[in-house]
């Protein structure tokens, strides 16, 4: 799930059968010639034409780490041939820094600081579960969060050492998005709580969470916030329903 960095009304959804775009007129379009299974996908927050992805081509095998400078029309493999990143994230404050967690042909969390040309495996000390999503702090490229089934983990040193946020252990944060506000980072996430599910917000680095809204349906797997307009949020649930908020995540509507 990604938002166009120049137009907050344009959103991208990476699927098992290719890349979809919802345009400003509300219509959905397939993008590019490649109908690949994009298990890992991220849109560059500083370049509206540039995407990064990983996954499986329709002919089989793995895509490695690839880049498009044409909004997914054409792709070029940059590195990691044969590798399949299931979680892939770019640092908003430094678009040369990437984090990737592969499902095959490589093990462990990998970090790149040169635009994905080379990768180094981190120690992952303290990371007690496999991440299915990675989110980088918008102000600090060294700080990354791992969304797992057993809770939300945080690292301040490029993924070398990890700490479990105790408030997320029994009621995991599933979807996660981070937003810069002044010199602070605000965290938004979907809390899988038996008592009260919904979108929650944290103003203190995940130590405490407050209920923010419950206007979405189902289990929200991914959240995304427009890099250009902090009021525009997107969310997708386990049934592939896409939701949009234009008031900072307080109220939501389903996108057709």
């Amino acid at each position: 799930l990604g938002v166009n960095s120049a137009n907050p009304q344009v959103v991208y959804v990476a699927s098992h059968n290719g890349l979809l775009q919802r345009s400003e007129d509300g219509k959905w379009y397939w993008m590019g010639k490649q109908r690949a299974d994009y298990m890992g996908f991220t849109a560059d927050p500083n370049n509206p034409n540039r995407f990064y992805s990983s996954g499986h081509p329709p002919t089989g095998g793995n895509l490695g780490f690839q880049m498009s400078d044409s909004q997914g029309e054409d792709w070029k493999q940059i590195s990691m041939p044969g590798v399949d990143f299931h979680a892939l994230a770019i640092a908003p404050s430094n678009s040369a820094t990437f984090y990737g967690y592969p499902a095959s042909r490589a093990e462990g969390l990998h970090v790149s600081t040169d635009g994905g040309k080379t990768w180094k495996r981190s120690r992952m000390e303290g990371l007690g579960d496999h991440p299915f999503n990675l989110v980088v702090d918008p102000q600090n490229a060294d700080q990354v969060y791992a969304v797992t089934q057993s809770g939300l983990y945080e690292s301040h040193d490029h993924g070398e050492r990890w700490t479990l946020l105790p408030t997320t252990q029994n009621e995991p944060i599933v979807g996660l998005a981070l937003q810069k506000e002044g010199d602070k980072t605000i965290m938004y996430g979907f809390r899988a709580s038996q008592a009260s599910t919904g979108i929650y917000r944290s103003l203190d680095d995940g130590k405490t969470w407050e209920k923010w809204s419950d206007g979405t349906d189902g289990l929200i797997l991914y959240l995304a916030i427009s890099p250009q307009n902090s009021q525009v949020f997107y969310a997708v649930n386990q049934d592939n329903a896409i939701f949009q908020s234009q008031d900072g995540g307080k109220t939501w509507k389903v996108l057709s």
Side-chain angles (χ1 to χ4, degrees):
L1 189 63
V3 187
N4 184 288
S5 60
N7 187 343
Q9 301 306 318
V10 176
V11 65
Y12 309 106
V13 179
S15 81
H16 289 299
N17 301 296
L19 183 63
L20 283 160
Q21 171 191 279
R22 185 182 189 270
S23 65
E24 197 169 10
D25 62 7
K27 296 180 181 178
W28 290 92
Y29 300 93
W30 288 106
M31 303 185 69
K33 308 163 188 174
Q34 192 180 67
R35 293 292 177 264
D37 184 350
Y38 295 117
M39 295 300 299
F41 172 82
T42 186
D44 193 308
N46 304 302
N47 184 341
N49 295 314
R50 182 170 291 176
F51 300 153
Y52 301 91
S53 70
S54 189
H56 315 281
T59 53
N62 295 323
L63 293 171
F65 177 75
Q66 60 177 15
M67 179 180 74
S68 171
D69 273 328
S70 56
Q71 291 195 342
E73 184 66 25
D74 298 289
W75 293 89
K76 176 184 178 182
Q77 187 182 93
I78 303 299
S79 61
M80 302 294 277
V83 169
D84 169 24
F85 286 121
H86 273 207
L88 184 65
I90 187 173
S93 64
N94 181 354
S95 55
T97 299
F98 290 87
Y99 295 85
Y101 192 86
S104 59
R105 295 295 299 274
E107 293 182 358
L109 181 77
H110 287 67
V111 183
S112 174
T113 57
D114 59 4
K117 296 174 185 175
T118 62
W119 296 79
K120 175 185 175 183
R121 181 180 173 180
S122 70
R123 295 203 314 264
M124 298 186 300
E125 181 182 319
L127 185 58
D129 206 347
H130 301 292
F132 60 84
N133 192 16
L134 297 165
V135 183
V136 187
D137 186 276
Q139 305 186 84
N140 184 357
D142 295 343
Q143 186 168 338
V144 59
Y145 294 86
V147 180
T148 79
Q149 291 183 342
S150 59
L152 185 62
Y153 288 81
E154 177 185 37
S155 172
H156 294 272
D157 57 3
H158 270 136
E160 296 291 337
R161 292 168 294 183
W162 294 84
T163 303
L164 174 65
L165 298 181
T167 54
T168 68
Q169 187 170 11
N170 297 321
E171 296 181 329
I173 296 294
V174 186
L176 178 70
L178 308 179
Q179 184 183 79
K180 178 182 176 182
E181 188 171 292
D183 60 351
K184 295 184 63 175
T185 295
I186 301 177
M187 305 175 71
Y188 294 89
F190 182 85
R191 168 152 270 174
S193 166
Q194 292 183 349
S196 180
T197 60
I199 305 295
Y200 280 69
R201 183 178 77 159
S202 176
L203 305 177
D204 56 7
D205 301 320
K207 296 181 182 68
T208 61
W209 296 82
E210 62 174 334
K211 184 73 171 289
W212 190 241
S213 69
D214 55 6
T216 57
D217 295 323
L219 179 68
I220 298 299
L221 299 177
Y222 295 98
L223 281 172
I225 303 174
S226 164
Q228 184 197 60
N229 185 338
S230 62
Q231 293 298 298
V232 179
F233 286 40
Y234 292 90
V236 59
N237 71 9
Q238 83 278 11
D239 296 320
N240 298 325
I242 310 294
F243 304 87
Q244 183 194 60
S245 171
Q246 300 205 48
D247 58 5
K250 295 178 182 177
T251 60
W252 298 82
K253 67 176 181 180
V254 180
L255 299 182
S256 58

